[in-house]
Amino acid sequence: MNKKLSKLIVGAFALVLSVLNANAQTQLFTSDKNNQPGYRIPSIVRFSDGKNGVAKGGLWAFADLRYQGGDIGGNNPIDITSRKLVDGTSSWTEPVLITHRNNSSQGYDFAFGDAATVADRESGKILLMTAAGRYGVWNTPAGNPNVARHVYDPKTGKWTTTEATTQFYGPNNTYANNLFVSSGRMIQSTIYKKDKYYRIYAAICTVGGNGSRVAYSDDFGETWSYLGGPTASPIPDGDECKVEELPDGSILLNAKRYNKKENGKTYYGRCINIFTFTDVANGEGSWDKVVTSGTENVNDQTFTANCNAEIMLVPARKQSDGSQTYLLLLAGPNSTARNNGCIFWKELPSTAAEYRKPSNYVSGWSKYVYSPNTYCAYITMTLDKDGNIALLDENGGISYRNYPLSTITGGAYTYHVSAKGTYHTSSEPTFVKQ
């Protein structure tokens, strides 16, 4: 056998192994049969484990550790637990608590749940926002603080926790009632930076009014403002939601519809709206008109009913002609029973004038069923160092899965970073220097 043929065979074998490993499932956290304790609400980031904040590809998974099984509030004790997959290793670390609740507290530090996370692409810091407190989201914070901010500093290896309630509710609850930062991905802009940090966007679920919204921070979560103003309501029927930055810096908000009922029928679906800036630095601009996709389980729409669902924009190469493009992914359960895990995908329109139209996200979706007829519920995802989709879902606890973009799209697209000098998506924690 000649050397060239030998190398081809070895390379092909390595590729097969890579795909097999990418499709493998790893159980990171396992709930007991009575769900006490139980693990829910996953979040994942690709973090910096290199020098000077250079991301080398480690993954950090987070989840609720629910000691009595229940949601945040109602005196339910909850902490955030985590595991790491450090770059260059093949095994996840043992679970470590990120928060340390105070069982006797009447304040925000009684419990922490529903983690939303983002990694700073330059410093390597991690911002983690949680719902918090003894009484939780269903009680307005007049004496009931219920939002917390947690920051990890890789220089010290430590987390710090502070209360952040009034940043979202405003003085005397003038902005909203009953809200929390929606779990999973927060995003860091690739467009706007102020002082030390690129801007952070977080999706806000306001169950007591104003529906789904977007808040932003230019100081890594110390202070927050709302896109469109403190009482803006871009998705009035929205519930839990996710946010993504489009290539020109516009902001896409995708929300679970709040089980709207009319004439004895429940209407599900995904609600979509887009914010276009007139002044990025000051957060000024306007929301478009909200649209709804997937009110029924039909072809080419995103039916992920009655559950949160993750969105992520990924740079890609179209295999049919080799062109550079972007795919928008949406991962969620494809049923009202929160099972049948799917990743929906759609190529972004080629011009800003088109991809800024909410109506262009109603249909035209394809889907990859990664876990048929299996309970998956809340799903979150990020990119790993190789451009694969690193995914967590709820499956008797929290499971980790990993898929190449080519697998998800049936070979139609592969991951490929944007060309030098052009946009890089918020799913990538660093700009790629070429």
Side-chain angles (χ1 to χ4, degrees), residues 202-215:
I204 309 298
C205 174
T206 311
V207 295
N210 297 108
S212 304
R213 310 164 75 183
V214 176

Side-chain angles (χ1 to χ4, degrees), residues 24 77 107 173 202 204 225 306 329 407 412:
N173 299 348
I204 309 298
S225 302
N306 197 32
L329 308 183
T407 296

Side-chain angles (χ1 to χ4, degrees), residues 335-346:
S335 77
T336 56
R338 294 187 171 186
N339 59 21
N340 203 39
C342 288
I343 302 173
F344 295 88
W345 56 272
K346 177 182 175 68

Side-chain angles (χ1 to χ4, degrees), residues 7 15 80 184 193 203 221 239 286 370:
K7 286 182 179 180
L15 178 61
I80 301 297
K193 182 181 181 181
D239 193 277
S286 61
Y370 75 84

Side-chain angles (χ1 to χ4, degrees), residues 229-287:
T231 58
S233 183
I235 301 182
D237 288 340
D239 193 277
E240 291 172 301
C241 45
K242 299 298 176 90
V243 63
E244 182 58 288
E245 184 181 61
L246 297 175
D248 69 335
S250 300
I251 298 300
L252 184 150
L253 178 62
N254 182 290
K256 161 191 169 185
R257 201 176 188 190
Y258 186 66
N259 296 356
K260 187 175 181 180
K261 296 183 178 181
E262 292 180 358
N263 301 321
K265 182 177 180 179
T266 299
Y267 291 84
Y268 300 104
R270 308 299 305 175
C271 298
I272 302 151
N273 206 344
I274 293 174
F275 186 88
T276 301
F277 288 98
T278 55
D279 183 341
V280 176
N282 292 309
E284 296 175 358
S286 61
W287 287 100

Side-chain angles (χ1 to χ4, degrees), residues 4-159:
K4 189 173 183 179
L5 179 59
S6 177
K7 286 182 179 180
L8 287 174
I9 293 173
V10 171
F13 183 67
L15 178 61
V16 170
L17 286 179
S18 174
V19 172
L20 289 174
N21 289 336
N23 290 327
Q25 175 183 343
T26 301
Q27 195 76 6
L28 297 185
F29 304 101
T30 303
S31 302
D32 76 6
K33 62 180 180 180
N34 297 314
N35 206 35
Q36 294 183 356
Y39 296 93
R40 288 209 59 205
I41 320 296
S43 190
I44 188 170
V45 294
R46 175 180 162 191
F47 72 97
S48 171
D49 54 3
K51 295 180 179 179
N52 301 318
V54 178
K56 294 178 64 179
L59 296 175
W60 204 337
F62 305 87
D64 283 16
L65 169 53
R66 300 187 169 192
Y67 298 101
Q68 296 176 2
D71 287 343
I72 191 83
N75 291 316
N76 285 318
I78 303 173
D79 270 313
I80 301 297
T81 187
S82 71
R83 297 182 71 176
K84 287 183 183 180
L85 182 64
V86 178
D87 185 41
T89 65
S90 58
S91 299
W92 290 82
T93 61
E94 292 299 311
V96 174
L97 285 181
I98 298 302
T99 61
H100 300 277
R101 53 177 298 276
N102 181 353
N103 189 56
S104 61
S105 174
Q106 296 298 314
Y108 84 100
D109 56 346
F110 173 80
F112 304 99
D114 287 63
T117 56
V118 65
D120 180 57
R121 66 172 57 88
E122 294 187 334
S123 69
K125 291 181 179 179
I126 293 175
L127 174 64
L128 186 153
M129 302 297 297
T130 58
R134 185 179 287 272
Y135 306 104
V137 64
W138 293 103
N139 290 273
T140 53
N144 277 337
N146 62 7
V147 184
R149 170 183 182 252
H150 317 263
V151 175
Y152 174 78
D153 188 340
K155 291 182 179 179
T156 64
K158 295 181 179 180
W159 289 86

